[in-house]
Amino acid sequence: MSCLRLHFLLVLLLCCVFVSTVFTIDALVVELAGCRPDQIQDLKQFKNEFDSRDCNQTDYFNGVRCDNMTGMVTELQLPRGCLTGILKPNSSLFGLHHLRSLVLSFNNFSSSSIPSQFGNLNKLEVLALSNNGFIGQVPSSISNLSMLAYLDLTYNELTGRFPPVQNLTKLSVLGLSHNHISGNIPSSLLTLPFLSTLDLSGNHLTGTIDVPNSSFSSTLLSLRLANNQVEAQILGPISKYITLTDLDLASLNISHPIDLRLFSSLKSLLNLRLSGNKLAPASFGSHPDIPLNLNLKNLALSGCGISQFPNFLRSLRNLELIDISNNRIKGKVPEWFWNLPRLSIVTISNNSFTGFEGSEDVLVNSSVRLLDLALNKFSGLFPKPPHTLNLLSAWNNSFTGNIHLTICNRSSLSALDLSYNNFTGSIPQCLSKFRSSLTAVNLRRNNLEGSLPDIFYDGSLLRSLDVGYNQLTGKLPRSLLNCSSLKFLNVDNNRIEDTFPFWLKALPHLQVLSLRSNKFYGPISLLGQGPLAFPELRILEISDNNFTGSLPPNYFVNWKASSLQMNRDGRIYMGDYNNPEYNYQDTTDLQYKGLFMEHTKVLTFYSNIDLSGNRFEGQIPESIGLLKALIALNLSNNAFTGHIPLSLANLKALQSLDLSRNQLSGTIPNGLKTLSFLAYMNVSHNQLTGEIPQGTQITGQPKSSFEGNAGLCGLPLKQSCVRTNAPPIQQPEQEKEEEELLNWKAVVIGCVPGLLFGLTLGHVIALYKPEWLVKKIGRDKHRNH
Ligand SMILES: *[C@@H]1O[C@H](CO)[C@@H](O)[C@H](O)[C@H]1NC(C)=O
Ligand SMILES: *[C@@H]1O[C@H](CO)[C@@H](O)[C@H](O)[C@H]1NC(C)=O
Ligand SMILES: *[C@@H]1O[C@H](CO)[C@@H](O)[C@H](O)[C@H]1NC(C)=O
Ligand SMILES: *[C@@H]1O[C@H](CO)[C@@H](O)[C@H](O)[C@H]1NC(C)=O
Ligand SMILES: *[C@@H]1O[C@H](CO)[C@@H](O)[C@H](O)[C@H]1NC(C)=O
Ligand SMILES: *[C@@H]1O[C@H](CO)[C@@H](O)[C@H](O)[C@H]1NC(C)=O
Ligand SMILES: *[C@@H]1O[C@H](CO)[C@@H](O)[C@H](O)[C@H]1NC(C)=O
Ligand SMILES: *[C@@H]1O[C@H](CO)[C@@H](O)[C@H](O)[C@H]1NC(C)=O
Ligand SMILES: *[C@@H]1O[C@H](CO)[C@@H](O)[C@H](O)[C@H]1NC(C)=O
Ligand SMILES: *[C@@H]1O[C@H](CO)[C@@H](O)[C@H](O)[C@H]1NC(C)=O
Ligand SMILES: *[C@@H]1O[C@H](CO)[C@@H](O)[C@H](O)[C@H]1NC(C)=O
Ligand SMILES: *[C@@H]1O[C@H](CO)[C@@H](O)[C@H](O)[C@H]1NC(C)=O
């Protein structure tokens, strides 16, 4: 079973919804002439304290500004990714006493703590040190910076208690999010007279906050406490910050449900995010009182355990974005919902919706641009899509009927995911209209028929196309060649009858190509061409087709090393899709024969070649031994002849090896017994002879893995290899093996400059999930000066 999946998550998070108040730092124009030479010297020396190979000299000084009277450096803004190294306490940076604005964000000071010498720069008004890898506590000397209005320490690894900011009475923006700061939020923070933005999300803060009870006049506009472990009592005080426009309280891990009516006092609130908290059902009754500010624009209530459609939304006439995904709402989406005049981004995915109230025109006049209906129980015909629609994700429902041609009446469409439904008919030709906007199309697992239309015209922006598991026939459209951005092409499990698409080599970014289980035929290697040379290909799935021919010995030479970026969770980064509004995921999860592995594990080491179920003949290419990261190799059900390549012994990570049902002869290379991770091996139904290598990984296999080879002997088979006075059978073999291996290595080293390290190919297990969504939050926050 194989399935590839693509889905969209609307970005309902800070980056687009909660636009923070950002201190303005003007684009700096270099007037280095106005700077004193000793100051310039200091700046140069500062750079030299680090690895600045990636730093552009011009850019470096672009962010410098000096006082035109004194010649002292007053502003320094480093370009991103300029410096790497430890920021030392004696850094010449701390000689720049006249700095008023210092922006070092997005450099790499990994494992430096923030030197207390920052306390000497006491003219600082702006200090931005985000995304720098700083560790340890914020030094107490920070309290010396009495002029500070803007302090950004977000996205570091800072620990310890809340930094001492209570004396920074000019502070307006304070960002500490995404660190490991623990303990209570000091109540003195709330007496800071100018504080307008406070971002403490993603720390380990606990407790509650106190609100001074007399003459309390808040200036706070934006408060973010998401992902902390604060106490429920914090909600009362928060409701007194009546000036708030943005409030993010997602995932607070509060034990009892939150009553939305708590926030009814916040009359200026525009953006509210409560996702990941339980909400009190009282908030949702059909009773008429509206718990929230009527001007609310963005509301995120994802994963709040909601079981009833929130009828109060009806009164929120300014609502632009609503996220009620990951709840338990049943029944039909009410008709009035689509009439909210400003509605633009809607995600109701992962609920139990079964349909739409109203006629099939119910959506047509809605202003929705991004619509995510995935993972529900919608059935029947898809209503006519809204005119304004730009992105539609409806995967995993039970929609039937043809794909609406009216989808092509939209002015632009950037992504369409109708996978895992029951759509029938053919793929609309008219989609060609969107060539300058469409980046992703996923129609996997429907009942579509006809051929993949030849609609990919010049200038196409398509990056991902998945039509797997349909009943498509015909050939691969040659116009795919116009999709120069294409990265991911999956047509598996159809009835496409064509030759191997060597021509796709011309696509400079193609990384994943799956042709599995179709009727492709002919050779996958062109005579005299040697290695398959797709420039960026990482994953090639071709099993269960009708491919023929032999593969030259160097077929696997120069295969792209597995340079796909692997995320921490083992998923593979496929690049972002440059849309600020939604996240986009290509996923593929496959199980493969012979070996069961937990998906997560496989993802981490994943690398696999599967050419099974074709009609390949000739020798197995020796160059297979170059693919050192291979964990699974399946060449079963072909007509390979000759010996099992000795180079297989180089595949030290190999966990699964299936060579069954070929015409291999000779002995099983003794070197295979050194493969200590080999959990599954099958060489049955060949013409192998001699002794089975007696290593524990091999003798532990079932007999069936070796049967159908008349000449094999030794465990786990019953036939013992008769040992008489004659020398052991393996001995000479082994010497020969080593010799051949050496020769092979020599050949390879001679002709390939850099040996392969790893490879991802074949019948694979992978999950592609760009993490940029997560990264974007906050990281880009201060970039839009
Ligand atoms: C360095 O930065 C300047 C100004 O941003 C730019 O014009 C120039 O092309 C950059 N040079 C290199 C080598 O990237
Ligand atoms: C110096 O800067 C001040 C403000 O920063 C500006 O008003 C003045 O015109 C500048 N003088 C010169 C000579 O550039
Ligand atoms: C800073 O101190 C280190 C030792 O900790 C020393 O090697 C380095 O030369 C000093 N740098 C400057 C600029 O004084
Ligand atoms: C920062 O630099 C360190 C040391 O050079 C390196 O190990 C680390 O990967 C870098 N981190 C990032 C995010 O680039
Ligand atoms: C705070 O600033 C004063 C000068 O205003 C300086 O003398 C002192 O060393 C600074 N304290 C710290 C801890 O940096
Ligand atoms: C804040 O200022 C007060 C009065 O000037 C002083 O006593 C206190 O130590 C300061 N607190 C910190 C953390 O610097
Ligand atoms: C209000 O503050 C005063 C002191 O400032 C305190 O005595 C009183 O108990 C507080 N009232 C409440 C209700 O917290
Ligand atoms: C949430 O709170 C419970 C106790 O109420 C605690 O056991 C659990 O670890 C907390 N979860 C997180 C993610 O902090
Ligand atoms: C769907 O929502 C539930 C909570 O209602 C959550 O546990 C589950 O993980 C979500 N499923 C997906 C695929 O996001
Ligand atoms: C949509 O708007 C058009 C033009 O304003 C109108 O004729 C049509 O009846 C509307 N359709 C629905 C279902 O409201
Ligand atoms: C699609 O339709 C078939 C029969 O028409 C049904 O068996 C199947 O469950 C449907 N699949 C989905 C995902 O609704
Ligand atoms: C494979 O191709 C041969 C002819 O080359 C044909 O006879 C056979 O039916 C094909 N097999 C499949 C499964 O398409």
Side-chain angles (χ1 to χ4, degrees):
M1 206 281 294
S2 133
C3 58
L4 273 104
R5 192 163 74 213
L6 155 87
H7 84 244
F8 310 99
L9 295 174
L10 303 184
V11 176
L12 299 159
L13 303 168
L14 308 179
C15 59
C16 64
V17 182
F18 302 94
V19 178
S20 62
T21 324
V22 175
F23 211 85
T24 310
I25 302 159
D26 302 333
L28 303 172
V29 184
V30 215
E31 277 298 335
L32 281 179
C35 298
R36 271 174 34 173
D38 61 321
Q39 295 270 299
I40 293 175
Q41 197 49 43
D42 264 5
L43 282 171
K44 283 185 176 156
Q45 196 176 330
F46 175 53
K47 183 156 70 72
N48 292 338
E49 291 164 21
F50 300 91
D51 176 354
S52 58
R53 265 172 299 183
D54 300 333
C55 204
N56 173 335
Q57 283 290 330
T58 325
D59 267 358
Y60 182 79
F61 288 104
N62 267 347
V64 177
R65 187 185 270 178
C66 295
D67 186 289
N68 61 8
M69 306 296 282
T70 64
M72 297 302 212
V73 176
T74 55
E75 294 185 10
L76 173 58
Q77 176 168 13
L78 285 192
R80 293 169 162 228
C82 199
L83 304 182
T84 298
I86 305 277
L87 181 56
K88 297 203 187 77
N90 62 0
S91 167
S92 40
L93 175 69
F94 302 115
L96 302 171
H97 291 283
H98 294 261
L99 276 174
R100 289 203 302 269
S101 171
L102 177 59
V103 179
L104 301 180
S105 300
F106 294 94
N107 281 282
N108 184 351
F109 303 123
S110 275
S111 51
S112 314
S113 38
I114 298 181
S116 66
Q117 280 70 9
F118 273 104
N120 294 333
L121 305 179
N122 55 14
K123 295 201 165 68
L124 278 179
E125 292 160 23
V126 172
L127 178 58
L129 302 177
S130 80
N131 291 274
N132 279 329
F134 280 120
I135 60 170
Q137 303 211 8
V138 179
S140 60
S141 63
I142 202 109
S143 63
N144 232 13
L145 306 181
S146 57
M147 308 300 278
L148 213 53
Y150 179 101
L151 178 58
D152 178 5
L153 302 175
T154 59
Y155 290 92
N156 282 293
E157 308 289 336
L158 300 171
T159 51
R161 303 264 146 184
F162 208 92
V165 294
Q166 58 269 37
N167 282 0
L168 306 183
T169 52
K170 300 212 164 134
L171 210 55
S172 159
V173 177
L174 175 58
L176 296 174
S177 73
H178 299 90
N179 281 290
H180 312 288
I181 295 168
S182 54
N184 288 324
I185 303 168
S187 31
S188 53
L189 193 59
L190 307 166
T191 59
L192 292 175
F194 301 113
L195 195 65
S196 72
T197 296
L198 182 57
D199 186 355
L200 307 177
S201 339
N203 280 289
H204 309 304
L205 296 167
T206 51
T208 178
I209 44 175
D210 296 322
V211 180
N213 64 6
S214 58
S215 67
F216 171 67
S217 73
S218 162
T219 51
L220 205 57
L221 299 176
S222 174
L223 175 62
R224 298 176 195 166
L225 289 174
N227 294 293
N228 281 290
Q229 280 96 52
V230 293
E231 283 163 25
Q233 287 83 333
I234 205 166
L235 299 173
I238 285 174
S239 67
K240 300 205 171 112
Y241 288 98
I242 52 171
T243 48
L244 280 175
T245 58
D246 298 344
L247 181 58
D248 183 359
L249 299 177
S251 302
L252 288 189
N253 198 16
I254 287 175
S255 52
H256 61 75
I258 297 178
D259 190 336
L260 276 185
R261 287 174 295 189
L262 257 176
F263 306 109
S264 58
S265 55
L266 305 180
K267 298 293 182 205
S268 305
L269 201 61
L270 299 178
N271 306 312
L272 177 61
R273 186 164 173 253
L274 293 172
S275 300
N277 295 296
K278 286 277 165 287
L279 292 192
S283 306
F284 292 97
S286 42
H287 58 78
D289 51 325
I290 297 107
L292 297 172
N293 173 27
L294 290 180
N295 291 321
L296 201 73
K297 278 184 172 169
N298 299 308
L299 179 61
L301 302 176
S302 172
C304 291
I306 304 171
S307 57
Q308 239 181 320
F309 198 88
N311 281 322
F312 67 87
L313 297 182
R314 193 171 191 158
S315 319
L316 303 180
R317 308 298 291 175
N318 288 323
L319 203 61
E320 293 173 9
L321 178 155
I322 175 77
D323 177 2
I324 49 171
S325 62
N326 303 317
N327 283 297
R328 301 190 304 259
I329 309 173
K330 296 189 191 65
K332 296 187 171 183
V333 186
E335 191 169 355
W336 57 258
F337 180 65
W338 307 107
N339 295 332
L340 290 173
R342 306 245 163 111
L343 210 54
S344 173
I345 300 182
V346 171
T347 175
I348 60 175
S349 62
N350 193 18
N351 278 282
S352 297
F353 287 109
T354 52
F356 299 89
E357 259 178 20
S359 72
E360 72 153 348
D361 287 336
V362 63
L363 300 182
V364 170
N365 288 346
S366 162
S367 52
V368 173
R369 289 185 303 118
L370 273 64
L371 179 57
D372 186 355
L373 309 170
L375 292 157
N376 275 290
K377 300 190 164 120
F378 286 104
S379 63
L381 300 179
F382 196 89
K384 278 189 201 148
H387 286 298
T388 43
L389 195 68
N390 186 247
L391 175 149
L392 174 60
S393 168
W395 66 278
N396 207 316
N397 281 288
S398 298
F399 287 113
T400 52
N402 291 351
I403 297 174
H404 242 293
L405 290 180
T406 54
I407 192 101
C408 299
N409 294 350
R410 318 303 107 186
S411 53
S412 91
L413 191 65
S414 66
L416 178 66
D417 185 351
L418 303 176
S419 60
Y420 298 82
N421 279 287
N422 253 346
F423 285 104
T424 48
S426 55
I427 299 173
Q429 293 265 354
C430 65
L431 286 177
S432 64
K433 185 186 152 192
F434 301 115
R435 68 169 175 276
S436 54
S437 62
L438 204 53
T439 55
V441 175
N442 191 346
L443 304 173
R444 188 173 187 76
R445 286 216 188 242
N446 280 285
N447 288 309
L448 299 168
E449 54 197 26
S451 58
L452 190 54
D454 208 359
I455 55 172
F456 306 97
Y457 300 129
D458 214 14
S460 167
L461 293 183
L462 200 65
R463 291 169 176 239
S464 176
L465 176 63
D466 188 345
V467 295
Y469 282 94
N470 282 286
Q471 276 111 54
L472 301 178
T473 50
K475 292 182 177 229
L476 278 186
R478 297 308 190 257
S479 61
L480 279 170
L481 267 183
N482 292 325
C483 303
S484 54
S485 309
L486 201 64
K487 280 187 167 178
F488 184 100
L489 176 59
N490 192 0
V491 302
D492 68 319
N493 288 278
N494 281 288
R495 297 175 203 152
I496 298 174
E497 199 165 352
D498 201 349
T499 52
F500 186 78
F502 292 103
W503 44 276
L504 285 175
K505 247 186 250 192
L507 295 183
H509 303 297
L510 192 65
Q511 299 193 356
V512 177
L513 173 61
S514 175
L515 310 174
R516 211 164 82 83
S517 292
N518 275 286
K519 295 182 171 175
F520 285 93
Y521 59 90
I524 63 168
S525 167
L526 290 179
L527 203 63
Q529 280 217 349
L532 185 70
F534 279 58
E536 289 292 319
L537 200 64
R538 268 81 165 167
I539 294 176
L540 172 64
E541 286 196 49
I542 60 170
S543 62
D544 291 323
N545 277 289
N546 207 353
F547 287 119
T548 51
S550 58
L551 307 176
N554 60 353
Y555 195 65
F556 294 108
V557 171
N558 265 347
W559 282 47
K560 200 78 189 178
S562 176
S563 54
L564 283 178
Q565 240 173 288
M566 199 82 72
N567 291 333
R568 231 176 300 162
D569 60 0
R571 300 180 204 212
I572 293 170
Y573 179 83
M574 290 293 292
D576 63 56
Y577 289 75
N578 296 326
N579 193 313
E581 286 180 318
Y582 59 86
N583 173 27
Y584 174 98
Q585 256 172 226
D586 285 331
T587 58
T588 159
D589 41 43
L590 310 169
Q591 297 163 9
Y592 55 97
K593 298 167 212 158
L595 179 64
F596 173 79
M597 282 182 176
E598 238 176 80
H599 271 186
T600 47
K601 272 204 190 129
V602 173
L603 293 171
T604 316
F605 315 110
Y606 127 88
S607 182
N608 177 7
I609 292 185
D610 187 348
L611 306 181
S612 66
N614 282 291
R615 298 193 290 133
F616 290 117
E617 56 197 27
Q619 303 248 3
I620 298 172
E622 276 284 351
S623 52
I624 194 89
L626 292 174
L627 310 178
K628 295 257 165 42
L630 210 60
I631 58 161
L633 175 63
N634 187 351
L635 305 177
S636 65
N637 283 295
N638 278 292
F640 283 113
T641 52
H643 292 243
I644 296 177
L646 303 177
S647 65
L648 285 186
N650 293 342
L651 303 179
K652 298 293 181 212
L654 204 64
Q655 299 183 28
S656 173
L657 173 64
D658 193 347
L659 305 175
S660 63
R661 295 181 193 275
N662 279 289
Q663 288 146 38
L664 299 169
S665 55
T667 58
I668 301 174
N670 206 31
L672 292 189
K673 76 183 177 192
T674 64
L675 300 181
S676 48
F677 296 110
L678 198 62
Y680 177 84
M681 173 170 171
N682 191 346
V683 295
S684 62
H685 302 284
N686 280 291
Q687 287 137 32
L688 298 169
T689 52
E691 183 175 26
I692 296 169
Q694 299 292 297
T696 46
Q697 295 296 328
I698 296 181
T699 55
Q701 300 290 327
K703 283 194 204 87
S704 57
S705 288
F706 297 92
E707 67 193 17
N709 288 289
L712 280 182
C713 61
L715 290 174
L717 296 178
K718 283 206 189 95
Q719 298 92 309
S720 68
C721 303
V722 188
R723 288 166 192 275
T724 56
N725 293 338
I729 303 168
Q730 286 285 352
Q731 208 72 47
E733 265 311 320
Q734 201 170 346
E735 274 165 25
K736 210 175 107 216
E737 271 177 29
E738 274 159 18
E739 193 180 307
E740 277 183 31
L741 263 182
L742 283 177
N743 286 345
W744 171 249
K745 276 184 199 148
V747 168
V748 168
I749 292 166
C751 67
V752 193
L755 289 193
L756 275 193
F757 177 66
L759 162 97
T760 52
L761 159 113
H763 183 181
V764 282
I765 297 159
L767 249 150
Y768 319 98
K769 182 184 179 190
E771 237 184 7
W772 63 279
L773 160 78
V774 188
K775 295 224 178 89
K776 266 202 132 72
I777 303 161
R779 294 208 167 188
D780 287 357
K781 204 170 46 177
H782 303 307
R783 207 174 45 177
N784 316 317
H785 303 312

